[in-house]
Amino acid sequence: MPPDTITSDQRQDAESWATLKRFLPYLWPRDNPGLRKRIAFALVLVLLAKGTVLALPFAYKNAVDAMSTPGSEAAMVAMALVLAYGLGRFAGTAFDNLRNIVFERVGQEATRSLAEDVFHRLHRLSLRFHLSRRTGEVTKVIERGTKSIDSMLYFLLFNIAPTIIELTAVGVIFYINFGWGLVTATAVTVVLYIVVTRQITEWRTKLRRDMNDLDGQALSRAVDSLLNYETVKYFGAEHREEARYAKAARAYSEAAIKSDASLGMLNIVQALITNALMAGAMAYTVWGWSRGELTVGDLVFVNTYLMQLFRPLDLLGWVYRTIRQGLVDMAEMFHLIDTQVEVEDKPGAPALVVRRPTITFDHVHFGYEPERTILHGLTFEVPAGSNLAIVGPSGAGKSTIARLLFRFYDPQKGRILVDGKDITTVTQESLRAHIGIVPQDSVLFNDTIGYNIAYGREGAEDEDILAAARAASILPFIKRLPDGFDTEVGERGLKLSGGEKQRVAIARTLVKDPPILLLDEATSALDSRTEQDILRTLKQISAHRTTLAIAHRLSTIADADRILVLDHGKLAEIGTHGELLRHDGLYAEMWARQQAEEAAIE
């Protein structure tokens, strides 16, 4: 099944406000009453701050009116009101910042929780998904999605709800002091402002989506190029890589220019609407003053309330844009969470218990794509404690067997058994715990040599690491390093040679100490002398294990108990090295060719 089958209509639905509903459990976590108390306390602080801010214009208005009246008593009243105004502004700021302090843990916990959910999901998606998606694009989706969580929590609780409260309160205050006329004008302006903001923001959202796609494309090309640094140098392709990146960067730049220009247009339209209301309301107040119906303080009163109202209104436009864009980013992240897991444990599946580590492939059919079958009814058995090798031309299906045994994929037909148990009926974790692998391409974590060796088993002791390094013939090399086991290996282990990486991978598997050992071209990157040392080591450690060796160089598996020869996904021949040579079939042909090649090199 392809990893990404979502349609454009489904994606649009995912980016709708339904995404907000999906987000609510992170806002109000059921299993954390402490965080819910913090949210409730933060909302109380919001109400206190908003009540204080709504009372300030009254103090300002009365202070101005008092100053219009001569006399020391009026001056004292004005002075007290001015001091109250200043204290109120400080209190509002204090309440807002206390609210931020109380709420900070809520935002961080929500971000952490969702990021962990995504990371958990990514590790359970199939190998097919990870082979089909660019790492740079996936990491960018996670980065944008997690960054949007904290801001969305903040805006939903402390901007949208308080703005609605303030709009209602201002409407009531204007009605009491000026009648329906100013209330109606304010309401019409606010509705027009919201409608225009929404329409333009929806248009900007498409531009934002295009910009995100191009940003991810540019990042993925950069990451892909840098990860393949040596290949770029081998083929002198620096200019080609720079041109590919520059093309993607230019496309992103053009999309960013359109997005920023649309933002400028939105700001101009918003300013036109709000300033038209400000001018009209103040003109109305001046007209009322000229008729003796209103005071000078009323002009300040109206101006102050509208200025306070415009602040959250201006912010409301930005908040709406941020939330809408955040929904786009979060929808992409939720899409990762919703990606179907191709290989899943059955409900209630037991852990695999291995007493006799046998491996059986029973009429296994498999293909990565429906129209391209790799294995055609493959059947073979590896008895407990035996050493079985699999050889064959490139594309015969050798590496596919390893992936199926680890259950990165499930066969379309047939069964794979370990100790007589169908591996689809047990947990994947327990299955993989019993199998160790030394892969052909050993990729290491960007950490120390000691960390990479110890990765084979959680809780590995220093003695285990030392013994594994010695058995893998890498201990002398490590001792020559200034930092020893604390030496950093670089990204993907690029600071080590191919042979050194391979030996670290062997040591890592030795630390795991599994009953079943899978060797996938385990000595392919080693020189002849080291290869012989490693082969002796592998022979020793596989003496009491069931070993499945996938090999290209036939000389490395000549002493295997049995050798399977694959050809186009089918079992062509089976037998010992001597039996296969006497059979004079495909194996004998491959052996003769490799012997001739080695003789030519010498």
Side-chain angles (χ1 to χ4, degrees), residues 395-431:
K398 302 186 297 296
S399 296
T400 299
I401 290 175
R403 290 175 171 178
L404 289 173
L405 182 60
F406 268 93
R407 211 183 162 205
F408 291 151
Y409 302 91
D410 283 334
Q412 276 90 38
K413 295 180 182 178
R415 300 182 303 161
I416 301 173
L417 310 175
V418 172
D419 194 8
K421 303 175 185 68
D422 189 336
I423 63 174
T424 62
T425 64
V426 298
T427 61
Q428 297 173 62
E429 182 180 2
S430 64
L431 168 68

Side-chain angles (χ1 to χ4, degrees), residues 517-538:
L517 192 60
L518 179 60
L519 308 176
D520 187 1
E521 302 282 2
T523 60
S524 61
L526 304 179
D527 58 82
S528 299
R529 179 179 177 183
T530 305
E531 180 184 59
Q532 293 306 313
D533 291 339
I534 294 298
L535 286 174
R536 282 194 293 269
T537 301
L538 292 177

Side-chain angles (χ1 to χ4, degrees), residues 140-157:
K140 196 68 175 180
V141 167
I142 298 174
E143 177 188 1
R144 284 197 299 256
T146 52
K147 282 184 177 179
S148 68
I149 300 169
D150 193 37
S151 59
M152 287 187 66
L153 279 171
Y154 183 88
F155 291 143
L156 285 170
L157 289 175

Side-chain angles (χ1 to χ4, degrees), residues 34-101:
L35 289 184
R36 287 186 290 177
K37 289 178 182 178
R38 280 179 173 268
I39 295 173
F41 185 40
L43 291 176
V44 171
L45 292 171
V46 168
L47 294 176
L48 290 174
K50 192 56 63 180
T52 302
V53 169
L54 288 171
L56 292 179
F58 285 98
Y60 198 3
K61 169 188 180 309
N62 291 323
V64 172
D65 285 339
M67 291 175 64
S68 302
T69 305
S72 58
E73 184 178 344
M76 291 180 63
V77 172
M79 182 65 71
L81 290 170
V82 168
L83 292 175
Y85 181 82
L87 181 61
R89 287 180 62 86
F90 167 76
T93 302
F95 287 141
D96 283 341
N97 283 276
L98 285 173
R99 173 203 69 196
N100 293 340
I101 293 172

